[in-house]
Amino acid sequence: MANIEYSEQELLRRESLKKLREIGIEPYPAPLYPVSATTSKIKSRFENWSNSHPDTDIHEYKGTTICIAGRIMSRRIMGAASFMELQDEKGRIQCYVKRDEICPGEDKTMYNTVFKKLLDIGDVVGIKGYAFITQTGQLSVHAKELTLLSKSLKVLPIVKELDGKVFDAFTDPELRYRQRYVDLIVNPQVKETFIKRSQIIATMREYFNEAGCLEVETPILQSIPGGATARPFITHHNALDIPLYLRIANELYLKRLIVGGFSGVYEFAKDFRNEGMDKTHNPEFTCMEIYVAYKDYIWMMEFVEKMLEKISLKVNGTTEVTIGEHKVNFKPPFRRLPILEAIKEYAGVDVSGMDEDQLRATCKKLNVDIEPSMGKGKLIDAIFGAYAEDKLIEPTFITDYPVEMSPLTKRHRNNPDLTERFELFVCGKELANAYSELNDPIDQFERFEEQAKLKSKGDDEAMFIDMDFVRALEYGMPPTSGLGMGIDRLTMFMTGQSTIQDVLFFPQMRPEKTLKKENKEEAQESNE
């Protein structure tokens, strides 16, 4: 068994746990508790009552019996009567606890022993009573009954202020992301980001459903990781004795459904890419992909503009959003700029028509870092990333990518060297990727073969050849437009967060043992 060391406070709480059981109180009782109100409902009901009874003494208002449950966040013990602050999902409210009210008989154990000595900040309790206004004008709950629902054995980092200084604030990002449950308790404002995330997804669902699209589910475990250029996670299926991959995208399965006869399908998918982590990337992320038959990428641009405007208005009440130091407006229309024109505008070079050797020479001249395995597509993308991306602050559609950069995209109707593709950039970051989908099976197979050549050169992000997908296209896929959009990054933009970790409840973190070892080594080095 693990050798766990407890702090003095943790030992005291475990002793209280033992004493509670000794006097016959179960610290973790059966889960059913008849909650009938929340802090926000109590405040709303009282406000409505006081507005409709303007001439009544509000100090005597009792209303109906209410039952509320939550976590003790502070206490003031005052002899036979005390106050405590209770926090639930909706907020905080003061509770008034009087000894003779919760212990109407001769036995005062619940107040003198349990409430005053054995309960702690962080414990979850239930209160049955009524709402009233104290003499100082504070809405409170007068407790008639008090029930312990869950004993807390850990000490909460409750924020305290003294002489203008703040103590015990739970602000360290490493701890906040690793112990999100504590973060949500002591920093309740964090919940607003995740409430908005839920609103974003709900608004998108409503928008897609109104457009006549069907929400579907596709496999997470795939025999061939397709639909994007990325390094996959790999696992093994014991019964079939075959390797399987966690999906990097759900694109190819959704397009199979378009082949099968659906006119519009979408999915909010968990995707996985075995790549680095930083402020805007997590190895597990949520991506929405939608495919609509008989549409093209130009139609999709307008579709996306209207959707983002709708989301921004729903979540923020305005199309203007503050992202870092920038104010961004999601009011359509957005700027549309071909990628080669963007490179010419921001890098000052015209790379159209260049072969691979010329692109390598250009990268060297522009001091752009490249790898030997890179083909034309990645070389162009490297120049664009180094010189143009961070200049794209307002929502901007970068369009008409070279064929080498877009192995799943239909060739441009006016220039076969380009494709009908756009990426939407906001504040220098890609938010969405969309195509007029390639539905020519012969062209698709040839492009898969080009990807295979890149993989043989050492590009471990190049696509696999998916022959079943080629076979599906051979049955005939209607002209289709598709879009992929990262929900995590969209939430960052709509809530003004600067890191992806702030919009994920549980972001991927290094193991604590590894982190502690690194911190110890750093401390030793600094001492030396």
Side-chain angles (χ1 to χ4, degrees), residues 18-124:
K18 179 181 176 182
K19 290 179 180 178
L20 283 166
R21 286 187 166 130
E22 286 175 351
I23 62 176
I25 293 178
E26 172 52 51
Y28 306 104
L32 180 63
Y33 187 76
V35 175
S36 64
T38 62
T39 53
S40 61
K41 282 186 178 179
I42 293 171
K43 293 171 184 177
S44 176
R45 287 174 185 171
F46 179 78
E47 184 178 340
N48 292 337
W49 180 88
S50 60
N51 288 338
S52 60
H53 298 77
D55 300 322
T56 305
D57 185 353
I58 60 175
H59 299 289
E60 297 178 359
Y61 169 68
K62 294 185 178 181
T64 58
T65 299
I66 57 177
C67 193
I68 187 172
R71 194 179 298 272
I72 300 172
M73 299 304 290
S74 67
R75 287 193 307 166
R76 285 178 288 145
I77 305 296
M78 302 161 59
S82 303
F83 288 95
M84 69 177 178
E85 191 176 34
L86 203 68
Q87 176 175 290
D88 65 7
E89 182 185 7
K90 301 298 182 180
R92 296 186 182 187
I93 196 166
Q94 179 175 269
C95 297
Y96 174 65
V97 183
K98 192 174 182 181
R99 182 188 62 195
D100 295 335
E101 292 278 359
I102 65 169
C103 305
E106 294 297 322
D107 185 0
K108 308 298 181 183
T109 302
M110 176 55 74
Y111 184 82
N112 292 337
T113 302
V114 177
F115 180 76
K116 293 178 69 175
K117 298 178 181 179
L118 301 182
L119 291 190
D120 293 289
I121 291 174
D123 289 352
V124 179

Side-chain angles (χ1 to χ4, degrees), residues 37-268:
T38 62
T39 53
S40 61
K41 282 186 178 179
I42 293 171
K43 293 171 184 177
S44 176
R45 287 174 185 171
F46 179 78
E47 184 178 340
N48 292 337
W49 180 88
S50 60
N51 288 338
S52 60
H53 298 77
D55 300 322
T56 305
D57 185 353
I58 60 175
H59 299 289
E60 297 178 359
Y61 169 68
K62 294 185 178 181
T64 58
T65 299
I66 57 177
C67 193
I68 187 172
R71 194 179 298 272
I72 300 172
M73 299 304 290
S74 67
R75 287 193 307 166
R76 285 178 288 145
I77 305 296
M78 302 161 59
S82 303
F83 288 95
M84 69 177 178
E85 191 176 34
L86 203 68
Q87 176 175 290
D88 65 7
E89 182 185 7
K90 301 298 182 180
R92 296 186 182 187
I93 196 166
Q94 179 175 269
C95 297
Y96 174 65
V97 183
K98 192 174 182 181
R99 182 188 62 195
D100 295 335
E101 292 278 359
I102 65 169
C103 305
E106 294 297 322
D107 185 0
K108 308 298 181 183
T109 302
M110 176 55 74
Y111 184 82
N112 292 337
T113 302
V114 177
F115 180 76
K116 293 178 69 175
K117 298 178 181 179
L118 301 182
L119 291 190
D120 293 289
I121 291 174
D123 289 352
V124 179
V125 298
I127 298 288
K128 185 179 287 186
Y130 59 85
F132 77 109
I133 297 292
T134 66
Q135 293 298 324
T136 59
Q138 186 170 352
L139 177 63
S140 305
V141 175
H142 187 124
K144 301 289 285 185
E145 294 180 15
L146 185 149
T147 305
L148 174 61
L149 300 176
S150 182
K151 179 67 182 168
S152 173
L153 301 181
K154 288 285 188 181
V155 181
L156 285 177
I158 300 299
V159 179
K160 297 181 285 291
E161 291 190 30
L162 181 64
D163 298 330
K165 295 182 179 180
V166 178
F167 298 90
D168 294 336
F170 197 65
T171 57
D172 182 88
E174 180 75 26
L175 288 175
R176 287 183 54 237
Y177 303 150
R178 196 177 295 280
Q179 300 179 31
R180 182 66 82 185
Y181 38 89
V182 180
D183 187 32
L184 292 168
I185 293 170
V186 301
N187 296 318
Q189 71 278 5
V190 170
K191 292 179 182 176
E192 290 303 313
T193 295
F194 295 97
I195 291 171
K196 287 186 175 182
R197 181 187 175 108
S198 181
Q199 291 174 338
I200 289 168
I201 294 173
T203 302
M204 294 174 79
R205 276 200 172 97
E206 179 184 31
Y207 185 69
F208 298 151
N209 292 341
E210 288 177 353
C213 298
L214 179 71
E215 184 170 10
V216 299
E217 294 180 341
T218 61
I220 293 176
L221 284 174
Q222 301 180 354
S223 57
I224 295 175
T229 53
R231 183 185 299 127
F233 286 93
I234 186 170
T235 185
H236 186 81
H237 192 294
N238 290 335
L240 296 177
D241 193 25
I242 59 171
L244 288 175
Y245 302 87
L246 293 179
R247 70 177 167 204
I248 57 175
N250 49 343
E251 175 172 345
L252 302 188
Y253 282 94
L254 292 175
K255 288 197 281 194
R256 285 173 169 93
L257 297 179
I258 296 296
V259 172
F262 288 101
S263 61
V265 292
Y266 70 94
E267 181 178 15
F268 290 90

Side-chain angles (χ1 to χ4, degrees), residues 437-473:
E437 300 296 336
L438 177 58
N439 60 346
D440 180 339
I442 296 174
D443 191 357
Q444 180 64 83
F445 178 67
E446 290 173 351
R447 294 207 223 167
F448 275 152
E449 287 189 314
E450 289 300 317
Q451 289 288 301
K453 291 177 184 177
L454 291 175
K455 187 172 287 292
S456 68
K457 290 172 60 178
D459 186 348
D460 55 6
E461 293 184 352
M463 288 188 185
F464 288 64
I465 297 179
D466 189 336
M467 288 308 300
D468 180 68
F469 177 66
V470 174
R471 178 169 56 193
L473 292 184

Side-chain angles (χ1 to χ4, degrees), residues 263-315:
S263 61
V265 292
Y266 70 94
E267 181 178 15
F268 290 90
K270 280 291 185 184
D271 291 342
F272 307 84
R273 297 183 182 177
N274 197 356
E275 299 166 350
M277 300 185 297
D278 58 30
K279 290 185 175 182
T280 58
H281 293 89
N282 195 67
E284 174 185 352
F285 61 99
T286 303
C287 185
M288 185 290 306
E289 292 200 31
I290 183 170
Y291 294 83
V292 186
Y294 310 110
K295 306 298 182 185
D296 64 7
Y297 79 136
I298 297 173
W299 175 89
M300 186 62 78
M301 288 186 219
E302 297 173 356
F303 188 74
V304 170
E305 286 174 336
K306 292 175 185 176
M307 179 184 71
L308 291 176
E309 179 184 31
K310 184 181 181 75
I311 291 170
S312 187
L313 289 171
K314 174 66 177 179
V315 173

